[in-house]
Amino acid sequence: MKTLIGIDNGTQSTKVLFFDVEKKEIVATASAPHKLISREDGSREQEASWWIDAAVKAFNQIDDKIKKSAIAVGVSGQQHGFVPLDKDGKVLSPVKLWCDTSTGEQCNTINSRVGGIDEIISKAGNPVYAGYTASKILWLKENHPDIYKKMATILLPHDYLNYVLTGNLVMEYGDASGTALLDVRKRVWSKEVVEALDSDRDLMEALPKLVEAHEPAGYVTKEASKLFGIPQGILVSSGGGDNMIAAIGTGVVSDGVMTMSLGTSGTLYGYSDKPVIDKDGNIAAFCSSTGGYLPLLCTMNCTVSTEIMRKLLSIEVSEIDDIASQSEAGSGGLITLPFFNGERTPNLPNGKGTLVGMDMENVTPSNILRSSMEAAILGMRYGLDSFKKLGFKPKEIILTGGGSKSLVWRQIAADIMNTTIVVTDNSEAGALGAAIQALWALNHKEGGEKDIQKLVKDYLTSKNELRYKPGIDVAKYNEVYKNYIKYLETLSVVFK
Ligand SMILES: Nc1ncnc2c1ncn2[C@@H]1O[C@H](COP(=O)(O)OP(=O)(O)O)[C@@H](O)[C@H]1O
Ligand SMILES: O=C(CO)[C@@H](O)[C@H](O)COP(=O)(O)O
């Protein structure tokens, strides 16, 4: 047996997956959770060492025989997290994550130093929004100058895992575009944006070498082999941000298909051969981890909102569908603005979670829970409208992420997006995409299929593809969406 390893470092857990190359099927999966440090100022942090501990715990659950059969590894990681290293490769501080909104002031400073939102979009493709790495670097400089002085290298979460696996400091274009430091049109670090962070120091020196998506990040070292129990010397592909890699795992490697992920964050993305720049700044102009581009909408509150409500109401994850289906479309008039983490799209880093429309009758557990599920999708519908303006008109949307396991949520998604939702067998799209990218990189080195579209077609087989068509609640949800936008516009003034 020959297997490919996919590692997926999400916000809540690190998952590992082994994929049998000959049988074209997943033979083992395991995961281990991470903690999250949250503070009232919007800080959301993790220690980089927790991810390594979780990966070790996950690998320890896999049979030794399977581990020994691995021929290549790919890593997917939560985007944007800022991992500063000193000259000896030691992590200098807790990692500020993609959902950290404590650096709103630094976002404004960088945007205005480059000449404002329109100017930074025209120069680099992306403005610096809450969560993007650039603002976290300036935050470190302003708040911990001593640590900042020691910083020799800037990495992202998946780059850090690649570093632990291979000893190499590299970044690939997909995840690099999420720093907001990359000029996505030219695919080079943007001098203007990098200088806006620090005009006294040449920060370019701290940015790692960029590698193409099909290139290896390196090869598993002796130390990593011992730590994870996997073969020494096997290839580690470039990897990528979790959305970029889940794009591979859901087949979004050519025009026309879109994926929506219901994870801690909510994301909606499609593939393009050319850079897609949204002048309104709602859709991020990211690169893909397959050599192209991946315009993407991200909300910071997807299963965040369902988790808060279900815990408040003492509901188990396995009970979500039962309880939510006791309520009807529109949740009896309740609308949740789910900005528990603050929000990136719409750009409200100081936003708060809000429940509106309560009356004497409708404040029930099922209405509250369903409303939190609807809220996650209403936020994505906002993104779909922006995508349509950019020419994306998907016939179907593939659903992935933990929330896609909910049957009720699948239908809510079809009705609110007014688009057919497809759910495949491959629910672990991040880890699976990472394994397929590893094969792609291996084929570039050792011969074999080099066309990622063909590889995906060949290896992403799904026996049970389920389709959820927009149903009788579409009209009702059009009304709910209008009300959601009204509440959003009114409350945005308060959140600013
Ligand atoms: N059946 C289900 N119904 C609703 N939510 C679910 C279900 N199963 C898992 N989830 C949610 O999915 C989330 C984890 O999703 P995942 O995509 O793994 O997150 P991340 O990649 O951000 O760590 C959890 O918050 C969990 O509550
Ligand atoms: O910030 C973004 C995308 O821009 C998030 O999508 C992160 O990449 C985290 O992903 P999950 O943990 O929700 O998968």
Side-chain angles (χ1 to χ4, degrees), residues 10-11 78-80 98 242-243 263-265 267 286 296 298 344:
T11 313
Q78 43 175 312
Q79 292 184 245
H80 315 296
W98 63 276
D242 55 1
N243 292 295
T264 314
S265 66
T267 58
F286 291 157
L296 177 145
C298 172
R344 188 190 303 165

Side-chain angles (χ1 to χ4, degrees), residues 276-295:
V276 178
I277 315 283
D278 179 12
K279 292 202 173 65
D280 298 333
N282 287 329
I283 304 300
F286 291 157
C287 299
S288 75
S289 292
T290 50
Y293 296 88
L294 199 79

Side-chain angles (χ1 to χ4, degrees), residues 363-380:
V363 187
T364 64
S366 54
N367 281 339
I368 293 174
L369 182 68
R370 186 177 179 109
S371 164
S372 71
M373 296 165 88
E374 292 175 346
I377 310 293
L378 290 166
M380 307 256 222

